[in-house]
Structure formats: structure tokens, C-alpha cells
């Protein structure tokens, strides 16, 4: 069957031939994947959709139980009712920027689904959209917590609500799926660090000794008592001057020598765990 501007098995007598296919690549120019287009194609593992697709209709991939991979084109604005329901081999899915609505049961019964990426453009998540997705652990969301809480989310999305929500980082060099993203955003919110500038954290840069004690000082100092320090390389007015005073006063560091702290030296893994041990390990 030649595909034109739609792909709809309800109007095609050869659907029975599709049931054994494992891979589908729809040609560029197709704009609409129709009602129940690949429903019950239990051997289908991979679908490649062209950029031209603007709509994927209800139940288009319902019960494609072997489907492991699917790309959703950027022009799609909604995941319709049951579109990927019962796709029990899907482990992750990325919903593209521009999608505003996840309709009821859109991804229900995807019990191998462990992570989903949801853009900040989503404003509505319908009833049972993630019902029975019992292994869903991580949601990578393209906005902040306030925007997430503003989403109109209908009942039956217990698994989505209980998953870990990873909000978009304020820093452009920190991907939302980075293992450090949550910690970095926590540190920014707590005033522990503002990054190396307003938009860059410097995720792969080395941490200096001065930065390490400053992070601890900002995280832990409830009250600050100025103390005399004898380090000639940490002058009053330095970004880490108070932090070094605090660290010395709490027995966290004695410096490299009695007169040198060396704030610009790289803080080794051994040094940072020693700082932490001296502060926390004896408490």
C-alpha cells in the first residue's frame, strides 16, 4: 500500500500483513499517522517517523508490545488517547518541545518504562496517562518546580506523581539527565554557589581548595566568629577569606603549611573527604 499524507489501517485491507513487521520507517511528507494505524503489531520493535508528521492519532501504537524505540517529531503537539498504551517494552521516551497535552492513557500500561522526558510546554496530563507504569522512576522535566506544579494533572497518575522529578538546571552546561544536576540545582537554591557566571556552572572544571571550603562554609555556617589566620596567601577581601577563617576555627584545615593555605590549588579527592570528615566525622 502506497502511503500518501496519512497512514491509517482502518482504511487499508492489508493490516494483517503488518502484524509480523519489526521495523517501520515512514517516508518524509507523511503528516498524519491515523487511528489505530499500528495497533496490535506485537512484533514491531522500531518506528522511525519523519519530521513532516504533525499528528499521531488515537491508539496509533496501542499494544505494540515489542516496541523498544520511537521518535516523536517536533511538530506533534499532543499525545492522543492511548497512543502508546500497552507498549510494554518501552523503557524510555522523550516527548518533544511543543507538545502541550498528554491525553488519557497516552502511556498507560508501559510497565517497562523507567524514565520519561517531558517538556515545559506541557500544560495538561490527562486521566490515567501513566496508569500501571509501575517501574517509572525518573521524570526529566524541561521547566522548574513552579511550572511543574502548575500542570493540570488529572487523576490516575500515581506513578508519575511518585517518580523523581528532575527539573531543568539553571545552568546551560548542566543537562537535566546529568548525575550532578539535582545536587547543582540544590546548591544554587541554597546559595552555596552561583556557578562561574549566571548561566554556566563549570561542571567539568577542577575545584580549588578555596572553593571547597567556601562551599562548606556557605552550606553549614549558622553563625560566624572572625578568627585570626596566619596564611599569607589568603588576604582580607578574598572570596574565601571568611570561609578559611571558619574552616580553621572548626578544625577542618590547618593549611598546606603554617603560612600557606594555597586557595588556588586543585582540591584533591583526598583533601575534600578529609575536610568533610573533620567537620562531620567527629560529630
Amino acid at each position: 500500500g502506497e502511503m500518501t499524507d496519512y497512514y491509517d489501517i482502518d482504511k487499508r485491507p492489508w493490516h494483517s500483513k503488518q502484524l509480523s513487521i519489526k521495523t517501520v520507517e515512514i517516508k518524509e511528507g507523511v503528516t498524519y499517522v491515523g487511528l489505530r494505524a499500528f495497533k496490535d503489531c506485537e512484533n514491531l520493535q522500531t518506528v522511525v517517523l519523519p519530521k513532516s508528521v504533525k499528528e499521531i492519532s488515537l491508539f496509533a501504537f496501542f499494544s505494540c508490545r515489542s516496541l523498544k524505540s520511537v521518535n516523536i517529531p517536533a511538530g506533534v503537539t499532543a499525545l492522543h488517547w492511548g497512543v502508546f498504551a500497552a507498549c510494554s517494552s518501552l523503557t524510555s521516551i522523550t516527548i518533544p518541545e511543543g507538545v502541550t497535552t498528554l491525553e488519557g492513557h497516552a502511556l498507560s500500561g508501559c510497565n517497562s518504562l523507567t524514565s520519561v522526558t517531558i517538556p515545559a510546554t506541557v500544560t495538561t496530563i490527562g486521566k490515567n496517562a501513566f496508569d500501571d507504569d509501575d517501574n517509572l522512576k525518573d521524570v526529566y522535566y524541561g521547566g522548574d518546580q513552579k511550572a511543574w506544579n502548575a500542570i493540570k494533572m488529572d487523576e490516575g497518575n500515581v506513578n508519575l506523581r511518585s517518580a523523581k522529578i528532575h527539573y531543568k538546571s539553571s545552568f546551560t552546561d548542566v543537562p537535566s539527565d546529568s548525575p550532578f544536576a539535582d545536587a547543582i540545582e540544590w546548591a544554587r537554591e541554597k546559595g552555596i554557589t552561583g556557578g562561574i557566571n549566571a548561566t554556566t556552572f563549570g561542571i567539568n572544571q577542577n575545584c580549588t581548595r578555596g572553593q571547597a571550603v567556601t562551599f562548606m562554609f556557605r552550606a553549614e555556617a549558622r553563625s560566624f566568629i572572625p578568627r585570626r589566620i596566619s596564611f599569607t596567601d589568603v588576604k582580607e577581601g578574598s572570596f574565601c577569606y571568611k570561609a578559611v577563617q571558619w574552616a580553621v576555627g572548626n578544625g577542618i584545615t590547618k593549611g598546606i603549611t603554617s603560612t600557606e593555605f594555597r586557595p588556588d590549588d586543585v582540591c584533591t579527592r583526598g583533601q575534600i573527604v578529609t575536610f568533610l570528615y573533620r567537620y562531620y566525622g567527629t560529630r
Side-chain angles (χ1 to χ4, degrees), residues 40-221:
D40 296 324
C41 290
E42 293 193 352
N43 293 295
L44 185 61
Q45 297 179 9
T46 304
V47 173
V48 179
L49 301 174
K51 294 179 181 179
S52 55
V53 167
K54 304 299 181 186
E55 184 174 1
I56 305 172
S57 192
L58 285 69
F59 301 106
F61 295 96
F62 177 81
S63 196
C64 290
R65 300 186 184 278
S66 298
L67 187 64
K68 297 178 179 178
S69 175
V70 63
N71 64 300
I72 302 173
V76 172
T77 59
L79 296 192
H80 290 303
W81 191 279
V83 62
F84 293 109
C87 290
S88 54
S89 292
L90 273 180
T91 58
S92 66
I93 192 165
T94 297
I95 299 168
E97 196 80 19
V99 170
T100 61
T101 305
L102 309 182
E103 293 184 359
H105 291 279
L107 286 156
S108 65
C110 296
N111 50 30
S112 293
L113 193 68
T114 60
S115 69
V116 60
T117 299
I118 298 177
T121 52
V122 169
T123 58
T124 304
I125 297 177
K127 183 177 180 180
N128 299 320
F130 291 86
D131 189 35
D132 292 329
D133 295 350
D134 296 333
N135 290 301
L136 182 61
K137 304 298 182 187
D138 296 289
V139 176
Y140 297 97
Y141 178 59
D144 59 18
Q145 187 171 5
K146 182 178 179 181
W148 175 261
N149 291 337
I151 293 174
K152 181 181 181 298
M153 191 180 301
D154 289 342
E155 62 181 328
N157 287 296
V158 175
N159 295 307
L160 183 64
R161 295 178 190 275
S162 62
K164 172 67 176 176
I165 311 299
H166 303 270
Y167 301 106
K168 182 180 180 181
S169 173
S170 302
F171 302 110
T172 57
D173 62 336
V174 182
S176 60
D177 59 353
S178 165
F180 314 116
D182 291 343
I184 290 170
E185 195 60 19
W186 168 83
R188 185 197 65 79
E189 291 177 357
K190 295 293 184 181
I192 295 168
T193 178
I196 60 176
N197 59 47
T199 59
T200 306
F201 181 76
I203 192 169
N204 293 314
Q205 290 188 13
N206 291 326
C207 184
T208 67
R209 287 170 51 81
Q211 289 170 338
V213 294
T214 300
F215 291 161
M216 292 184 65
F217 171 65
R218 290 173 178 170
E220 289 298 323

Side-chain angles (χ1 to χ4, degrees), residues 220-233:
E220 289 298 323
R222 297 293 180 267
S223 61
F224 172 67
I225 301 174
R227 298 175 184 270
R228 182 178 179 274
I229 54 174
S230 57
F231 302 126
T232 58
D233 55 356

